[in-house]
Amino acid sequence: MIELYHFALSPFCRKVRLTLAEKKLEVQLIDEPFWEASSEFLRRNAAGKVPVLRIDGLTLSESQAICEYLEETVPEHPLMPRDPEGRAEVRRLVAWFDDKFHQEVTSKLVYERVNKKLTRSGYPDGTNVKNGVKAIKFHLDYMGWLLDQRRWLAGPDMTLADFAAAAHLSCLDYSSDVDWNRNQGVRDWYAKIKSRPAFRSLLADVVPGFRPASHYADLDF
């Protein structure tokens, strides 16, 4: 059995879960309170971060390394283009969401409002929350610009770039931090990806102490 050590509202874990589901790989999800930094978990990943995937006798960490391993070993339902230019664009956008979007939005909203309470590391920083609310508008506009030119974020086909973006936005949608009325193209894109079978387990997530937004699991939001 494939095992994934994860945290439900980690966008990096969600990206891996989407990839596993799209490739129709059954996985046992193991909730990991990574902030406790237990010695057992640190033996699996010395960086003390989730996700960690146990597969094929290997223990893999870092979401992008995991996703590309899955892409190379399970070719069905490909999430990377065949041409080098297309793969470069996918990797650029994955980095955009996992680095820039994460730093400017996810860490300012989800981490301040949810993670701090779970980890008992203080109260939300109002300035960070305000900056996150402002920054997400720019990112939604950029996504809308991309989708005006393409069917999916990186091109004509759904790729890992779409899963990276959806992973972050689904975490934010859980706490109702996405204004879906800002850009109809982005809303339509999210509705398509949210309706995929691979998304079902994410929509069933419930973090103890934090109820999801009323529309979170609604496919017709």
Side-chain angles (χ1 to χ4, degrees), residues 104-105 107-114 116 123-136 177:
E104 296 178 0
V105 182
S107 67
K108 300 294 191 296
L109 296 175
V110 177
Y111 292 8
E112 288 289 341
R113 290 174 170 166
V114 178
K116 276 190 171 180
Y123 295 97
D125 184 309
T127 299
N128 280 343
V129 171
K130 182 178 179 180
N131 289 339
V133 169
K134 180 179 179 180
I136 194 174
D177 278 316

Side-chain angles (χ1 to χ4, degrees), residues 4-16 30-36 41-42 44-53 60-64 66 102 111 115:
L4 180 68
Y5 295 84
H6 83 121
F7 170 58
L9 284 187
S10 161
F12 306 104
C13 295
R14 287 184 163 217
K15 181 176 69 173
V16 171
I30 302 172
D31 292 323
E32 180 60 51
F34 60 92
W35 54 89
E36 296 178 0
F41 182 65
L42 290 173
R44 297 189 190 99
N45 182 13
K49 299 191 299 181
V50 287
V52 172
L53 185 71
L60 305 176
S61 59
E62 296 298 334
S63 66
Q64 191 58 18
I66 293 171
H102 174 255
Y111 292 8
N115 291 35

Side-chain angles (χ1 to χ4, degrees), residues 14-149:
R14 287 184 163 217
K15 181 176 69 173
V16 171
R17 289 169 63 189
L18 287 169
T19 301
L20 287 162
E22 189 70 17
K23 292 182 177 294
K24 301 188 183 305
L25 295 173
E26 293 188 9
V27 59
Q28 179 183 359
L29 298 177
I30 302 172
D31 292 323
E32 180 60 51
F34 60 92
W35 54 89
E36 296 178 0
S38 69
S39 58
E40 181 180 356
F41 182 65
L42 290 173
R43 281 195 294 271
R44 297 189 190 99
N45 182 13
K49 299 191 299 181
V50 287
V52 172
L53 185 71
R54 299 184 70 174
I55 184 173
D56 299 336
L58 301 171
T59 299
L60 305 176
S61 59
E62 296 298 334
S63 66
Q64 191 58 18
I66 293 171
C67 289
E68 296 221 20
Y69 175 87
L70 294 171
E71 181 68 13
E72 292 175 8
T73 58
V74 188
E76 273 309 305
H77 301 292
L79 294 171
M80 293 288 284
R82 300 183 66 177
D83 61 293
E85 182 180 358
R87 291 197 297 272
E89 177 65 355
V90 170
R91 291 184 175 114
R92 180 188 75 83
L93 287 172
V94 170
W96 176 282
F97 288 101
D98 285 350
D99 184 4
K100 185 176 177 65
F101 188 97
H102 174 255
Q103 290 296 326
E104 296 178 0
V105 182
T106 311
S107 67
K108 300 294 191 296
L109 296 175
V110 177
Y111 292 8
E112 288 289 341
R113 290 174 170 166
V114 178
N115 291 35
K116 276 190 171 180
K117 183 176 180 180
L118 286 174
T119 61
R120 299 179 181 178
S121 55
Y123 295 97
D125 184 309
T127 299
N128 280 343
V129 171
K130 182 178 179 180
N131 289 339
V133 169
K134 180 179 179 180
I136 194 174
K137 297 176 182 177
F138 162 75
H139 286 278
L140 291 174
D141 290 346
Y142 179 57
M143 291 177 67
W145 179 79
L146 289 173
L147 292 166
D148 282 342
Q149 307 170 72

